[in-house]
Amino acid sequence: MGKWRNLPAEMLLEILTRLPTESVLDCKLVCNPWRSLVSHHPSFSQLHLTHLNHSAAESGKLSFLVESKMHQVHYLEYNDDETPVHYTRRININPPFECSFYKILGSINGLVCLYGWGDDAHCICNPVTREYVMLPKIRRDCDDRYRAGGFGYLPLTNEYKVVELYPLKEKLNVTEVAVYTLGSGNGWRIVARLDSVILEKVAGVFTSGALYWKEAFNLHLLTEEGKLFVFDLTDEKFRKHVLLPPSPEEANVWYSYFVGDLSGVLYYASRERSAITGCICFNIWLLKKNVILDMKEQVEDDPLTWSKEFSSLERKPLTITKNGGVLSYDDKSLGIYDPKASTSKKVVDFTAFKAIYTHQNTLVSLKELGEKDIEIMELAEETGSRDSKI
């Protein structure tokens, strides 16, 4: 430790912020100066996050939270190379909800947003640092059957926002929108109203600075059913034009639709069952700029269009790997799809699988973001292994 003690603080900061998250936690135990630097330097967590993102992009390492039907949560790493390493570890997310039923609304930069159904409350936590904060409840008279929510982030302003949509009881087909910005001190703000009801009680898909919710698709009313509502997090307004879904291409299949984020791009997926073979597959459209429109047309029309990129995937898409494969999943396994060869193989087996979310282990601090009344989650037993079974 002798030579390390004499290192300038700036150099030590550069070294420690480039270490893996778990290694930084170990460094906090070495000595008080290191502990103070990690815990109290105003820019440490942000510098560490910047280096972490760069390292992940260079290495191709991907990481996720996998939620089981028993509310057990596992951390999963996938390395995209010739000999992939799959690391799984059960972690403890133990929100202080009175009711045990909760939903993960999303994970951004290591912060996980949870919603407790019975408590009607939101919790933001970092599973690594175990910091958490309970958001105040929203007072409103609404129809609970059609509530929706979402979690998003604006990197330019370093703002994390929780959004809740709820239909008003006294006004039929009117949805009110409330936003909570972490660390702002402003609490929940009612920012908009939507003259429609989002029928799907699911978390909004966050990508490219906006949250997307899909209206439930109706096979008997093939008009605007299944359209997407787009809420811009910067302006805190719904965009003027809703997005219509891609049109079905065949008449001999059964359809259901859902949306998601695929490596930063919104996708629309059709889950199809062939009336002839009975096989289930997924077709994927990505939302891209319409290069056909000229600048004058783009002023009046939506410059975005759906582009069909993948056909007949055996599982739901999750993310695109550095080598161009598509990580995808179903309720039993995680697989990798090769678009060039149109083949797929299983990577990880699941048991009692419920949902999977892109996630990073980070040191992002709720305290540094300006939140008050921060608590520490109770530490529970963790188990880990390097295998292919969850």
Side-chain angles (χ1 to χ4, degrees):
M1 276 295 296
K3 294 182 179 179
W4 285 93
R5 289 181 184 274
N6 298 324
L7 282 177
E10 294 78 7
M11 184 177 296
L12 188 60
L13 181 67
E14 280 293 315
I15 294 172
L16 294 184
T17 55
R18 295 174 187 274
L19 296 177
T21 303
E22 290 76 7
S23 298
V24 175
L25 296 179
D26 291 337
C27 288
K28 289 179 63 176
L29 305 176
V30 172
C31 60
N32 287 332
W34 287 21
R35 181 183 182 85
S36 178
L37 181 64
V38 173
S39 301
H40 303 298
H41 191 284
S43 302
F44 190 93
S45 64
Q46 280 302 119
L47 288 171
H48 181 260
L49 178 63
T50 299
H51 293 315
L52 197 65
N53 288 334
H54 178 75
S55 175
E58 289 291 320
S59 66
K61 186 182 78 172
L62 302 168
S63 51
F64 310 93
L65 291 181
V66 182
E67 183 183 9
S68 75
K69 292 181 180 179
M70 302 301 293
H71 287 298
Q72 295 178 352
V73 179
H74 290 77
Y75 173 74
L76 167 67
E77 286 183 2
Y78 174 84
N79 287 346
D80 190 23
D81 55 26
E82 293 181 359
T83 56
V85 176
H86 317 306
Y87 175 50
T88 65
R89 182 183 74 247
R90 182 178 172 183
I91 63 174
N92 178 53
I93 294 182
N94 185 27
F97 296 133
E98 293 182 5
C99 178
S100 60
F101 296 103
Y102 67 86
K103 180 175 181 60
I104 297 177
L105 294 185
S107 173
I108 301 175
N109 294 337
L111 295 182
V112 182
C113 180
L114 311 170
Y115 177 75
W117 294 114
D119 297 66
D120 187 21
H122 295 80
C123 173
I124 309 293
C125 71
N126 184 326
V128 172
T129 65
R130 294 170 32 230
E131 282 187 346
Y132 78 89
V133 63
M134 295 295 297
L135 305 190
K137 295 184 180 181
I138 305 174
R139 295 182 178 180
R140 68 274 191 271
D141 187 19
C142 70
D143 190 337
D144 288 335
R145 294 175 299 170
Y146 303 127
R147 285 222 318 269
F151 184 44
Y153 174 66
L154 298 175
L156 292 180
T157 55
N158 194 34
E159 290 180 301
Y160 296 82
K161 296 187 178 185
V162 183
V163 180
E164 184 165 350
L165 287 69
Y166 45 90
L168 300 179
K169 283 186 177 179
E170 71 274 12
K171 293 189 177 182
L172 196 63
N173 292 330
V174 173
T175 297
E176 199 163 65
V177 185
V179 174
Y180 185 99
T181 303
L182 293 185
S184 68
N186 296 324
W188 288 99
R189 297 172 292 108
I190 298 174
V191 299
R193 284 191 173 184
L194 179 68
D195 294 330
S196 184
V197 175
I198 297 174
L199 299 177
E200 290 209 333
K201 196 173 182 179
V202 296
V205 175
F206 173 71
T207 183
S208 303
L211 282 163
Y212 297 79
W213 290 273
K214 185 182 74 67
E215 189 175 58
F217 193 82
N218 191 320
L219 288 173
H220 302 290
L221 298 172
L222 297 177
T223 54
E224 291 187 345
E225 300 296 328
K227 61 188 177 183
L228 290 176
F229 298 99
V230 187
F231 185 76
D232 191 296
L233 281 182
T234 300
D235 298 333
E236 297 184 344
K237 296 179 180 178
F238 281 97
R239 293 180 184 169
K240 183 177 179 181
H241 301 291
V242 297
L243 292 171
L244 299 181
S247 300
E249 298 178 348
E250 301 177 24
N252 65 334
V253 292
W254 173 84
Y255 293 89
S256 65
Y257 290 87
F258 59 91
V259 293
D261 170 79
L262 190 62
S263 299
V265 180
L266 186 77
Y267 74 78
Y268 209 110
S270 67
R271 181 179 185 271
E272 307 178 357
R273 182 192 296 273
S274 172
I276 299 175
T277 64
C279 296
I280 293 177
C281 65
F282 299 92
N283 291 326
I284 309 299
W285 291 263
L286 299 183
L287 190 63
K288 294 186 174 182
K289 289 185 178 181
N290 191 342
V291 296
I292 299 177
L293 296 175
D294 59 29
M295 292 304 295
K296 182 178 179 180
E297 289 176 319
Q298 289 188 23
V299 173
E300 300 177 356
D301 299 319
D302 196 329
L304 300 175
T305 186
W306 296 108
S307 173
K308 191 171 184 179
E309 299 293 322
F310 306 107
S311 297
S312 302
L313 268 74
E314 297 178 359
R315 303 173 179 87
K316 293 182 181 180
L318 179 59
T319 190
I320 297 176
T321 69
K322 184 179 179 181
N323 292 335
V326 181
L327 272 181
S328 52
Y329 66 98
D330 54 26
D331 60 352
K332 295 180 181 179
S333 63
L334 180 75
I336 183 75
Y337 174 77
D338 185 344
K340 295 180 179 179
S342 298
T343 58
S344 63
K345 64 178 180 180
K346 184 165 59 176
V347 174
V348 180
D349 287 323
F350 293 140
T351 58
F353 170 80
K354 182 179 179 181
I356 186 168
Y357 310 87
T358 301
H359 174 78
Q360 286 179 303
N361 281 338
T362 75
L363 300 171
V364 173
S365 170
L366 292 167
K367 184 178 181 180
E368 290 182 10
L369 291 174
E371 276 297 313
K372 299 179 180 179
D373 301 322
I374 298 168
E375 302 287 344
I376 300 297
M377 280 190 179
E378 294 182 4
L379 186 62
E381 181 181 356
E382 297 183 359
T383 59
S385 62
R386 288 186 176 272
D387 54 30
S388 59
K389 190 75 173 178
I390 292 180

